[in-house]
Structures are given as structure tokens and as C-alpha cells.
């Protein structure tokens, strides 16, 4: 599975908002500069984040965007599902009828388990974990 820029940038937007949570609404131009993402693309990504109840918008001259939830209550799993949908690693996991071998295929069961483990891990990583810098190359090996 290869994640789209929508998932990757969506997570970065949420981390950015979390890091600036005490500053009130954050304008999209500020996020754009800090994250090196175009304003136009950010606007496209903010919409589904708002619809999912993860981000709120405030109108007006001092308006902008802020998290609708505490960073500890938002997971990478939510972000991936929002932008990618619940995706299995291989098609035969969700559509066993696509393969004549699926009834007896041990490899299919391994892919199914790997998919479950992947989403369990993504669901265990919160925006709070990421904003606090709890992840580094050394901690994930």
C-alpha cells in the first residue's frame, strides 16, 4: 500500500494545527509556508478534514482553522481511512471471490492479518504523539 499525498499532507496539517493549538485559529497561508504545501491544495484537504469533524473553521479577519478534537483523540488511522478509505493490502482479502484459491490460501490469511496489524498500529499513533516528537528513526526500529 502506498499512501497518497492527501493522507500524508492531511496528517501534516493536523500536526501543524496541534502545534499551534494555543494560538487560536491558524490561517491557511501560515500552514502553507510551514509545511511547504500550496494554499490551493491545502484548501482541498481542509474540506474533508472539516467534514470528518477533525477541523473547525472560523471566519473573519482573525479567522482560520483549528482542531475540532484534542490531538490525543485523532489518530493516523482516522486520517488514512478518511483519505484512502479502509484499504486491504491485497484485493483478495476484501473480495475473496476474485480468486479461485482464496478458500484454502494461507497467504491470503497472512495478508489479512498484516492489514489488521497495519491499521491497529495506525490507530495507536495519535497527532499528540507526532506533535511531541515521539517518533524518530531510532524509536521505530
Amino acid at each position: 500500500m502506498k499512501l497518497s499525498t492527501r493522507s500524508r499532507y492531511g496528517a501534516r496539517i493536523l500536526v501543524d494545527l496541534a502545534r499551534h493549538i494555543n494560538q487560536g485559529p491558524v490561517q491557511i497561508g501560515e500552514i502553507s509556508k510551514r509545511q511547504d504545501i500550496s494554499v490551493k491544495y491545502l484548501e482541498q484537504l481542509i474540506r474533508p478534514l472539516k467534514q470528518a469533524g477533525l477541523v473547525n473553521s472560523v471566519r473573519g479577519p482573525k479567522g482560520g482553522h483549528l482542531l475540532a478534537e484534542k490531538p490525543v483523540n485523532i489518530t493516523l488511522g482516522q486520517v488514512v481511512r478518511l483519505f484512502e478509505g479502509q484499504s486491504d493490502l491485497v484485493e483478495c482479502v476484501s473480495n475473496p471471490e476474485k480468486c479461485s484459491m482464496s478458500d484454502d490460501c494461507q497467504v491470503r490469511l497472512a495478508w489479512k492479518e498484516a492489514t489488521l496489524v497495519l491499521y491497529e498500529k495506525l490507530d495507536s499513533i495519535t497527532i499528540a504523539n507526532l506533535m511531541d516528537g515521539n517518533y524518530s528513526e531510532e524509536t521505530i526500529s
Side-chain angles (χ1 to χ4, degrees):
M1 172 199 287
K2 186 173 182 178
L3 297 178
S4 68
T5 57
R6 294 172 53 85
S7 289
R8 295 186 347 254
Y9 289 0
R12 285 174 43 192
I13 292 167
L14 295 172
V15 171
D16 191 279
L17 291 174
R19 285 187 174 142
H20 298 91
I21 202 163
N22 294 325
Q23 297 176 1
V26 179
Q27 294 183 346
I28 227 159
E30 296 172 23
I31 300 169
S32 173
K33 287 177 191 166
R34 287 191 294 260
Q35 297 301 319
D36 194 25
I37 304 170
S38 76
V39 168
K40 188 172 184 169
Y41 197 36
L42 280 174
E43 289 170 345
Q44 292 174 23
L45 297 176
I46 287 286
R47 269 186 235 114
L49 292 169
K50 285 172 47 177
Q51 291 169 345
L54 301 175
V55 171
N56 286 328
S57 295
V58 178
R59 292 180 168 231
K62 295 190 180 203
H65 305 282
L66 29 86
L67 291 180
E69 293 281 337
K70 293 178 181 177
V72 72
N73 294 333
I74 303 172
T75 70
L76 279 183
Q78 288 173 280
V79 176
V80 170
R81 285 182 191 91
L82 175 63
F83 290 113
E84 311 293 335
Q86 175 77 30
S87 177
D88 292 310
L89 295 177
V90 293
E91 186 177 16
C92 65
V93 169
S94 53
N95 296 311
E97 67 279 358
K98 297 277 183 176
C99 177
S100 62
M101 304 292 293
S102 65
D103 287 341
D104 299 320
C105 184
Q106 295 298 303
V107 177
R108 176 182 166 272
L109 296 177
W111 292 131
K112 183 175 184 174
E113 182 181 15
T115 300
L116 292 171
V117 170
L118 170 67
Y119 279 100
E120 284 175 11
K121 183 62 178 178
L122 290 173
D123 288 336
S124 75
I125 302 169
T126 68
I127 297 301
N129 296 136
L130 299 174
M131 72 179 249
D132 293 339
N134 290 346
Y135 276 85
S136 68
E137 290 290 331
E138 293 78 36
T139 61
I140 59 171
S141 50

